[in-house]
Amino acid sequence: QVQLQQSGPGLVKPSQTLSLTCAISGDSVSSKSAAWNWIRQSPSRGLEWLGRTYYRSKWYTGYAVSVKSRITINPDTSKNQFSLQLNSVTPEDTAVYYCVRSEQWLNNWGQGTLVTVSS
Amino acid sequence: QSVLTQPPSASGTPGQRVTISCSGSSSNIGNDYVYWYQQLPGTAPKLLIYRNNQRPSGVPDRFSGSKSGTSASLAISGLRSEDETDYYCAAWDDSLSGWVFGGGTKLTVL
């Protein structure tokens, strides 16, 4: 059974970088059938897909247009995990962030991390 | 503003049947499967319906999904008090190359 365990700070100052990590058990980040996503949820923006990374003989990434200039999602094969970095955050980036495994749909969700952007 | 459109609220009495709609476009619902998620307070969304009308094991057959053109619906029959929570539709969008969601429907059991 696949489980995703998120970690990272719950408070980030404006203009700084939001960093979260998602540790995977029960699957490999290098799986050739899965993709590894970050999704956030806030009252103002609802559920918003941010991006994903996946391996199909080489690594691919894809990002939402709304955050494309500020986001990086990286796999870490040595630790079987993947990460999210979101630069230059503002209070509008305050949300619950989820890491999510997908194959043909969004199958497995992490527990969620509330990240507040505030000074 | 969410890419998929859902009514913000729905309600019904115990035992009743309620439906929740989800409207999209040719680049998402019209071109791919629809998925439905149930979200209890303080928890991550849980898959309720996949590939338009398939139920994962453990989901009661009171829940059913359908799709026609660029719209989809979730139906809940034999409404129970524990069904009172939030429901979201989702689909892959080929134009955006990403997952898109409805704004969510809060279901109230009167």
Side-chain angles (χ1 to χ4, degrees):
Chain A
Q1 182 175 341
V2 177
Q3 290 191 320
L4 304 177
Q5 182 66 40
Q6 300 177 216
S7 59
L11 181 63
V12 181
K13 289 182 167 47
S15 80
Q16 293 194 341
T17 297
L18 181 161
S19 296
L20 295 173
T21 298
C22 184
I24 304 162
S25 58
D27 198 356
S28 168
V29 71
S30 304
S31 164
K32 290 192 176 181
S33 62
W36 306 96
N37 304 262
W38 286 98
I39 290 169
R40 67 182 178 183
Q41 184 175 28
S42 66
S44 59
R45 302 171 75 98
L47 283 164
E48 181 183 14
W49 178 82
L50 300 177
R52 64 177 183 169
T53 187
Y54 57 97
Y55 184 75
R56 303 289 186 268
S57 303
K58 70 173 188 175
W59 287 101
Y60 294 87
T61 55
Y63 300 127
V65 170
S66 61
V67 294
K68 192 169 187 175
S69 63
R70 301 192 290 132
I71 189 174
T72 304
I73 295 176
N74 278 327
D76 183 341
T77 57
S78 65
K79 295 182 179 178
N80 200 32
Q81 63 187 29
F82 63 109
S83 64
L84 166 70
Q85 285 196 310
L86 189 64
N87 303 325
S88 306
V89 297
T90 72
E92 280 213 349
D93 294 309
T94 293
V96 176
Y97 286 76
Y98 294 100
C99 61
V100 186
R101 172 182 174 271
S102 63
E103 287 188 306
Q104 296 170 49
W105 54 86
L106 300 164
N107 306 61
N108 309 94
W109 296 64
Q111 80 274 24
T113 301
L114 173 60
V115 179
T116 301
V117 179
S118 175
S119 54
Chain B
Q1 196 79 335
S2 299
V3 174
L4 306 180
T5 301
Q6 295 179 237
S9 63
S11 63
T13 56
Q16 248 187 345
R17 181 177 187 271
V18 298
T19 61
I20 297 171
S21 62
C22 176
S23 176
S25 69
S26 58
S27 63
N28 42 66
I29 294 178
N31 197 42
D32 212 321
Y33 296 112
V34 176
Y35 303 88
W36 289 92
Y37 292 85
Q38 179 191 61
Q39 187 176 32
L40 298 173
T43 69
K46 168 195 161 188
L47 183 67
L48 202 60
I49 297 288
Y50 67 97
R51 289 184 176 173
N52 302 334
N53 55 20
Q54 302 299 303
R55 281 186 309 276
S57 60
V59 173
D61 59 6
R62 302 186 296 106
F63 295 90
S64 62
S66 63
K67 178 187 127 172
S68 177
T70 59
S71 294
S73 291
L74 172 71
I76 309 171
S77 59
L79 203 59
R80 303 175 68 161
S81 58
E82 58 259 40
D83 299 333
E84 182 168 292
T85 192
D86 297 327
Y87 296 86
Y88 295 88
C89 57
W92 179 262
D93 192 295
D94 283 337
S95 295
L96 299 174
S97 295
W99 289 96
V100 293
F101 298 92
T105 298
K106 183 173 185 60
L107 176 63
T108 300
V109 180
L110 302 169

